[in-house]
Amino acid sequence: MDGLMQLPEDFTSQPLGLIALTGLDIKYNAIHRSIWDSFTVNRRPDRVPLHFKLLSGDHEYRKPKSKRSTYEWYIPKGVVKIDWMQKHVNEIPSVLVIFYDLDWNDPQWKEKQVECVSRVEIARSSLQGRNTKIAVVLTQTAAPLPPGEDMVAADRAATLCTACELSSKALFVLPHNPDHLYGYIIRLENAFYELSQAYYHGECRRVKSRKELLNKQKHEVLIVRHQFKIAFFCELRQDRTSALKHYKLAYSNLKELEPNYRNMLETKLCASYFNYKICRLCFLDGSPVDAIAQFRSHIDYFKKKSGYAELAFIDAAWMSHQYSIFGDLFDEAVKNGLDAIQTQHPGFYYQHAAYCAITRKQLCRELCQAAAMFPVQNTSETTKYVNYYGQRVWNQGYHTEASDADFEKAGILAVQTEELKVDHSYIIIQLFSKAVSQFKKYKSSRMRRHLMIKMAEEYYHAKDYNKALALLDRVAPDYRSEKWWELLTAVLKLWLKCAYLLADVQNYITVCIELLSKHCTTDNNNKSIIQKNLVNIIEGKQPNPENDLSPSAAEEASKLWMQKFALIKAPVSAFDIDVSQLISFVECKIGFSATSFAADVPVTINVYLRSTAPLPMYFYKLSLKFNIEEYDNFCNITNEDTDNGKDLVLIPNEMKCITFKFVPRADDVGESLECKSASLQLGDESSYNVVLAWNCSDSVVATPSTIILPITNHSETLCFDQIQPKLIAKFTSRKSLICLKLQHEPPALVNEYYLVKLIIQNDEQSEISDVSLGIGFSQNQDMSQPANTWLCIDKISDSTIHSKSIKDIHISNIMPGEGVSKLLFIKCQTHGQRVILVKIAYKVKIDVDGKVTECKCKQTDSITIETVIPFETVIDTVTTELNKIETLCAKEPYLLMARLKCTSPWPVTILNTTFNLINQFESVDASALSQLSNVSLLKGEEATECFVIKYNGSIEKLKLNIGRLRINWKRSEQEYEQPEVESEVVLPTVLIDTSPIYIVIDKPAYGCLRAALPVTFELHNRTNLVQEVEINIDPCESFMFTGLKQVNLRILPSDIHALRYVMYPLATGYVTLPRLKLNLPRYQSSDSQGKATIAAQILVKPSSRKTRTDSIIDDAIQC
């Protein structure tokens, strides 16, 4: 029955023009075989749309019917014949091609020409009355000559066409050349296609001419038939526009007919075929809107038309197939590039098809009861279509009445019997499956879930309960997360039935747990029944069947349950159900009484339980699991451990609080204890027992605690919904009762061993043991400071074994009230601030809840040490005249002036100072000692040391660092003897230059106003050449002088020349002597070395008495 509603293959396949080939012996002739394969094998889409069929030369074609001159008294029996399309697609060719092996120069040309003509005559006689085009193809082995050159071929071709009564356009030559055969075949195909087009065009005109003879009032059915034939011939000639036009006309004329209930099936079937063609061509032409509009109009019109009342399910089946067929067309169009949207896609049509299939199943149950009681044995001949689509043996003819009422009744009964054999559930499930895949493709998740439930219901009706459970299991989590409680309740009810019919204990118990929750919309009476069934299973009893189950299904399920319980053997392993992913009737919240617990405080954790079942529920065991497994044993309780076994009885809608207490282990101090899960066992091991497990997820842990959970049970004052879980508690050290003092006198000085005194006082009630001391640096500071800091304890050790941290310094046991002191020395190599952490850990035995336990205690203290530099050092290079200078000349003496300013708040004693010069520099006085040895400085006091140096390295212009100044010092006052401190200061970097003339000024330490002052300038030539020197003395307002003011002279190599002057000071104070300017015209070096200006200062005192100027002048002249 269902197959009769399907579209015939002639409608679904693309019509192609039929070309019949004769004269090819593909079995014994290899050339013929290659020709046939070229026509049929691997036809690409770019080749002309033709269908080739190989026939024998004496093939018998279907004879045409006699032509009618008038249709005045003709009464049609139906609309579309079953075999008419098959006849024109596979039986009557549009072109008959006769292949014959004949070369133009064949010696037996005459005989073969006669044979070819006879074959053409046989073919023409077999197609008598048909308009089939006939063509002849001569297969030749010789290569053809260019057109117009082979006159013999032209004459013989004309002769052959005349003999065969063929047009010259119907004669073809096919040279057999393997390299060019494919090209020849393509050209032949194009020629055959033109002949085929001409044939089908002629057939259209022939049908149109007959249609002109019809009367619209009398021949409505014939008009529909002729329009359909014209449309089909247009399709065969690949004229889709004309085909669509005539299909629409055929469909429109069909709707104008007035069918009765007897021929309604034929009308609807033909309408569905025409509608399919129209929609398919619209999709192919890129007009999906027209296709959808045509389909909607088609459904709206014919859904109100019905046939036999006893066969109403056929109308529902027809509707279902219409939606399904259009859904397939729509889906094919989408695959070919059509863009569908979320509100218009094939899934909606598959969904409607499934709904119509459900209606069909319901009508079948209502109308086929008689057939079920008295089925017809042989229904094949009674139910199949004969002659015309939609007509059966017992209702032939479109307008005729039933000739035999009993025969008609028997036919209806046979159709009903055939309908009973249809697997409706399979059809419905397949349609829903297609719809689900479409809705999934277009991301319509809610529609997809809705249809999956419909599929599960159909699997339930088909008694395939396992697949129904699989679908429900995929849908339920989404409804839980989105809180669609009514939909979830409906899913759970169907789930419960499937689990019961399968005797699936675990699924049945799981669903019962959810159906008893407060979110399910089932009334309390049903919940009470479900709870009793749950208790029955726990007690090893069979549950009662659901009310709406059929007696046969309930009886079969009862046998399965009996078999299931008969296999029970104690002990029975428990079913673990993760209720954290379900909506359980038992609600559980867990909370520590505090966020942290000291080692001497018992840990308290509360478990809050509430049942929303309508009846009291008895549980067997409650247990908690932690991330530290050793505490799992402290949080277990069973009915045997409680008074009267009532602690694990949950009264409906009443909260129960169960408290666990335990003492943390000393080794777990600093760890976090997290409750991972809670388990509530329903039933013992004698029968089925269920463990309800709550897995504590991260989202629950992160929930803020808005209230403090009480240690005791106050269910009257505390609302269950207000409780926020608190699943993590930290174990902290017991508060230390020792006194730690850190005594020191800041600030510390750079590079010294700074003393910090540690005093540890035991204020505990008992002896402390395993005392360990650790010293380090705080992480919340500049990490470059700890890297330049060294620590040592009790005594100052060698700097090579200094440590940046001190760990695990063990101290002997300390009795109550006693104390221990330690000395900490800190050496800071840079100035700045440092935070030192001092950690003390120890063990002490205490009493916790009557139990003596050993606790680990820790105490941390910190000190901030400010480190300052002991000296501010300024070092300058000066000349012997105490003038600052940055450029030094080789082999000339200079002074290093080091000024030390004390910045330490404590008195500092300088033990020694040492100038460490580099190799190029040397001390002028090698026996010189430190001038600051054992000098003590207070804060703000300064000390200066002078050191004479000279450069003896290579004479070249470069920058050099002179060396380092090492200062050995210590605090002037120390409580504990400490080694001296050594500090180094980098000496200045100077520029080294050379001078050919070295000038020494010989003058007294001071002069007196208006008193003669002798001054001598000594010029030393340090080169190996004679130097010419031009000397000028600039006048000065502060002095009068005697001597040469301008002189030119020569100085021999390594010789000395002295210029003596007598100065007469005219002003007091530090006065600059007249400037001496030198110019070396022959010196071949740079300008800076060939010229020099010498200026010196002298202290001039006021004159208090008369000086003997004359004698001084005489002495100066004599010198």
PDB file of all heavy atoms in Angstrom, residues 402-418:
ATOM      1  N   ALA A 402     -19.649   2.004  -9.773  1.00  0.00           N
ATOM      2  CA  ALA A 402     -19.209   0.662  -9.427  1.00  0.00           C
ATOM      3  C   ALA A 402     -20.188  -0.364  -9.995  1.00  0.00           C
ATOM      4  O   ALA A 402     -21.399  -0.264  -9.792  1.00  0.00           O
ATOM      5  CB  ALA A 402     -19.108   0.506  -7.925  1.00  0.00           C
ATOM      6  N   SER A 403     -19.652  -1.329 -10.709  1.00  0.00           N
ATOM      7  CA  SER A 403     -20.517  -2.337 -11.337  1.00  0.00           C
ATOM      8  C   SER A 403     -20.976  -3.388 -10.348  1.00  0.00           C
ATOM      9  O   SER A 403     -22.042  -3.985 -10.500  1.00  0.00           O
ATOM     10  CB  SER A 403     -19.777  -3.001 -12.505  1.00  0.00           C
ATOM     11  OG  SER A 403     -18.571  -3.575 -12.041  1.00  0.00           O
ATOM     12  N   ASP A 404     -20.167  -3.618  -9.328  1.00  0.00           N
ATOM     13  CA  ASP A 404     -20.493  -4.669  -8.365  1.00  0.00           C
ATOM     14  C   ASP A 404     -20.160  -4.132  -6.966  1.00  0.00           C
ATOM     15  O   ASP A 404     -18.990  -3.933  -6.631  1.00  0.00           O
ATOM     16  CB  ASP A 404     -19.691  -5.918  -8.684  1.00  0.00           C
ATOM     17  CG  ASP A 404     -20.146  -7.114  -7.838  1.00  0.00           C
ATOM     18  OD1 ASP A 404     -20.899  -6.900  -6.872  1.00  0.00           O
ATOM     19  OD2 ASP A 404     -19.720  -8.237  -8.159  1.00  0.00           O
ATOM     20  N   ALA A 405     -21.218  -3.903  -6.158  1.00  0.00           N
ATOM     21  CA  ALA A 405     -21.004  -3.353  -4.824  1.00  0.00           C
ATOM     22  C   ALA A 405     -20.244  -4.319  -3.937  1.00  0.00           C
ATOM     23  O   ALA A 405     -19.397  -3.918  -3.133  1.00  0.00           O
ATOM     24  CB  ALA A 405     -22.348  -2.989  -4.190  1.00  0.00           C
ATOM     25  N   ASP A 406     -20.527  -5.607  -4.052  1.00  0.00           N
ATOM     26  CA  ASP A 406     -19.804  -6.596  -3.220  1.00  0.00           C
ATOM     27  C   ASP A 406     -18.332  -6.642  -3.598  1.00  0.00           C
ATOM     28  O   ASP A 406     -17.451  -6.781  -2.736  1.00  0.00           O
ATOM     29  CB  ASP A 406     -20.448  -7.973  -3.403  1.00  0.00           C
ATOM     30  CG  ASP A 406     -21.862  -8.017  -2.834  1.00  0.00           C
ATOM     31  OD1 ASP A 406     -22.147  -7.192  -1.929  1.00  0.00           O
ATOM     32  OD2 ASP A 406     -22.652  -8.850  -3.280  1.00  0.00           O
ATOM     33  N   PHE A 407     -18.085  -6.566  -4.913  1.00  0.00           N
ATOM     34  CA  PHE A 407     -16.690  -6.568  -5.373  1.00  0.00           C
ATOM     35  C   PHE A 407     -15.952  -5.334  -4.841  1.00  0.00           C
ATOM     36  O   PHE A 407     -14.800  -5.400  -4.423  1.00  0.00           O
ATOM     37  CB  PHE A 407     -16.677  -6.610  -6.891  1.00  0.00           C
ATOM     38  CG  PHE A 407     -15.301  -6.804  -7.465  1.00  0.00           C
ATOM     39  CD1 PHE A 407     -14.361  -7.657  -6.876  1.00  0.00           C
ATOM     40  CD2 PHE A 407     -14.914  -6.107  -8.598  1.00  0.00           C
ATOM     41  CE1 PHE A 407     -13.112  -7.821  -7.411  1.00  0.00           C
ATOM     42  CE2 PHE A 407     -13.661  -6.268  -9.137  1.00  0.00           C
ATOM     43  CZ  PHE A 407     -12.756  -7.136  -8.534  1.00  0.00           C
ATOM     44  N   GLU A 408     -16.654  -4.199  -4.861  1.00  0.00           N
ATOM     45  CA  GLU A 408     -16.061  -2.975  -4.332  1.00  0.00           C
ATOM     46  C   GLU A 408     -15.788  -3.100  -2.838  1.00  0.00           C
ATOM     47  O   GLU A 408     -14.732  -2.680  -2.346  1.00  0.00           O
ATOM     48  CB  GLU A 408     -16.995  -1.798  -4.612  1.00  0.00           C
ATOM     49  CG  GLU A 408     -16.414  -0.458  -4.178  1.00  0.00           C
ATOM     50  CD  GLU A 408     -17.371   0.678  -4.460  1.00  0.00           C
ATOM     51  OE1 GLU A 408     -18.578   0.514  -4.196  1.00  0.00           O
ATOM     52  OE2 GLU A 408     -16.916   1.731  -4.917  1.00  0.00           O
ATOM     53  N   LYS A 409     -16.725  -3.681  -2.108  1.00  0.00           N
ATOM     54  CA  LYS A 409     -16.546  -3.853  -0.667  1.00  0.00           C
ATOM     55  C   LYS A 409     -15.369  -4.768  -0.362  1.00  0.00           C
ATOM     56  O   LYS A 409     -14.568  -4.520   0.553  1.00  0.00           O
ATOM     57  CB  LYS A 409     -17.837  -4.397  -0.071  1.00  0.00           C
ATOM     58  CG  LYS A 409     -17.824  -4.492   1.439  1.00  0.00           C
ATOM     59  CD  LYS A 409     -19.173  -4.952   1.962  1.00  0.00           C
ATOM     60  CE  LYS A 409     -19.156  -5.031   3.491  1.00  0.00           C
ATOM     61  NZ  LYS A 409     -20.481  -5.496   4.035  1.00  0.00           N
ATOM     62  N   ALA A 410     -15.251  -5.837  -1.183  1.00  0.00           N
ATOM     63  CA  ALA A 410     -14.119  -6.750  -0.988  1.00  0.00           C
ATOM     64  C   ALA A 410     -12.796  -6.053  -1.290  1.00  0.00           C
ATOM     65  O   ALA A 410     -11.774  -6.279  -0.622  1.00  0.00           O
ATOM     66  CB  ALA A 410     -14.297  -7.975  -1.885  1.00  0.00           C
ATOM     67  N   GLY A 411     -12.827  -5.173  -2.305  1.00  0.00           N
ATOM     68  CA  GLY A 411     -11.613  -4.432  -2.618  1.00  0.00           C
ATOM     69  C   GLY A 411     -11.207  -3.496  -1.493  1.00  0.00           C
ATOM     70  O   GLY A 411     -10.017  -3.361  -1.164  1.00  0.00           O
ATOM     71  N   ILE A 412     -12.214  -2.846  -0.893  1.00  0.00           N
ATOM     72  CA  ILE A 412     -11.910  -1.949   0.234  1.00  0.00           C
ATOM     73  C   ILE A 412     -11.321  -2.750   1.384  1.00  0.00           C
ATOM     74  O   ILE A 412     -10.353  -2.323   2.044  1.00  0.00           O
ATOM     75  CB  ILE A 412     -13.186  -1.213   0.656  1.00  0.00           C
ATOM     76  CG1 ILE A 412     -13.614  -0.232  -0.446  1.00  0.00           C
ATOM     77  CG2 ILE A 412     -12.967  -0.475   1.974  1.00  0.00           C
ATOM     78  CD1 ILE A 412     -14.934   0.430  -0.182  1.00  0.00           C
ATOM     79  N   LEU A 413     -11.890  -3.915   1.653  1.00  0.00           N
ATOM     80  CA  LEU A 413     -11.372  -4.763   2.734  1.00  0.00           C
ATOM     81  C   LEU A 413      -9.933  -5.209   2.446  1.00  0.00           C
ATOM     82  O   LEU A 413      -9.098  -5.290   3.350  1.00  0.00           O
ATOM     83  CB  LEU A 413     -12.300  -5.975   2.919  1.00  0.00           C
ATOM     84  CG  LEU A 413     -12.015  -6.853   4.139  1.00  0.00           C
ATOM     85  CD1 LEU A 413     -12.203  -6.066   5.426  1.00  0.00           C
ATOM     86  CD2 LEU A 413     -12.924  -8.083   4.138  1.00  0.00           C
ATOM     87  N   ALA A 414      -9.649  -5.470   1.157  1.00  0.00           N
ATOM     88  CA  ALA A 414      -8.286  -5.882   0.788  1.00  0.00           C
ATOM     89  C   ALA A 414      -7.299  -4.738   1.011  1.00  0.00           C
ATOM     90  O   ALA A 414      -6.168  -4.944   1.484  1.00  0.00           O
ATOM     91  CB  ALA A 414      -8.257  -6.333  -0.669  1.00  0.00           C
ATOM     92  N   VAL A 415      -7.720  -3.508   0.666  1.00  0.00           N
ATOM     93  CA  VAL A 415      -6.841  -2.361   0.896  1.00  0.00           C
ATOM     94  C   VAL A 415      -6.596  -2.169   2.388  1.00  0.00           C
ATOM     95  O   VAL A 415      -5.475  -1.868   2.822  1.00  0.00           O
ATOM     96  CB  VAL A 415      -7.453  -1.098   0.267  1.00  0.00           C
ATOM     97  CG1 VAL A 415      -6.628   0.130   0.630  1.00  0.00           C
ATOM     98  CG2 VAL A 415      -7.537  -1.236  -1.243  1.00  0.00           C
ATOM     99  N   GLN A 416      -7.633  -2.354   3.197  1.00  0.00           N
ATOM    100  CA  GLN A 416      -7.459  -2.241   4.655  1.00  0.00           C
ATOM    101  C   GLN A 416      -6.516  -3.317   5.176  1.00  0.00           C
ATOM    102  O   GLN A 416      -5.674  -3.051   6.049  1.00  0.00           O
ATOM    103  CB  GLN A 416      -8.809  -2.341   5.338  1.00  0.00           C
ATOM    104  CG  GLN A 416      -9.722  -1.147   5.092  1.00  0.00           C
ATOM    105  CD  GLN A 416     -11.073  -1.318   5.723  1.00  0.00           C
ATOM    106  OE1 GLN A 416     -11.461  -2.426   6.121  1.00  0.00           O
ATOM    107  NE2 GLN A 416     -11.841  -0.233   5.829  1.00  0.00           N
ATOM    108  N   THR A 417      -6.654  -4.518   4.638  1.00  0.00           N
ATOM    109  CA  THR A 417      -5.746  -5.603   5.053  1.00  0.00           C
ATOM    110  C   THR A 417      -4.297  -5.261   4.700  1.00  0.00           C
ATOM    111  O   THR A 417      -3.372  -5.499   5.482  1.00  0.00           O
ATOM    112  CB  THR A 417      -6.164  -6.920   4.391  1.00  0.00           C
ATOM    113  OG1 THR A 417      -7.528  -7.203   4.712  1.00  0.00           O
ATOM    114  CG2 THR A 417      -5.277  -8.058   4.839  1.00  0.00           C
ATOM    115  N   GLU A 418      -4.121  -4.711   3.476  1.00  0.00           N
ATOM    116  CA  GLU A 418      -2.766  -4.326   3.067  1.00  0.00           C
ATOM    117  C   GLU A 418      -2.212  -3.211   3.947  1.00  0.00           C
ATOM    118  O   GLU A 418      -1.020  -3.172   4.244  1.00  0.00           O
ATOM    119  CB  GLU A 418      -2.811  -3.883   1.607  1.00  0.00           C
ATOM    120  CG  GLU A 418      -1.459  -3.782   0.940  1.00  0.00           C
ATOM    121  CD  GLU A 418      -0.800  -5.132   0.708  1.00  0.00           C
ATOM    122  OE1 GLU A 418      -1.507  -6.166   0.721  1.00  0.00           O
ATOM    123  OE2 GLU A 418       0.429  -5.152   0.518  1.00  0.00           O
TER     124      GLU A 418
END
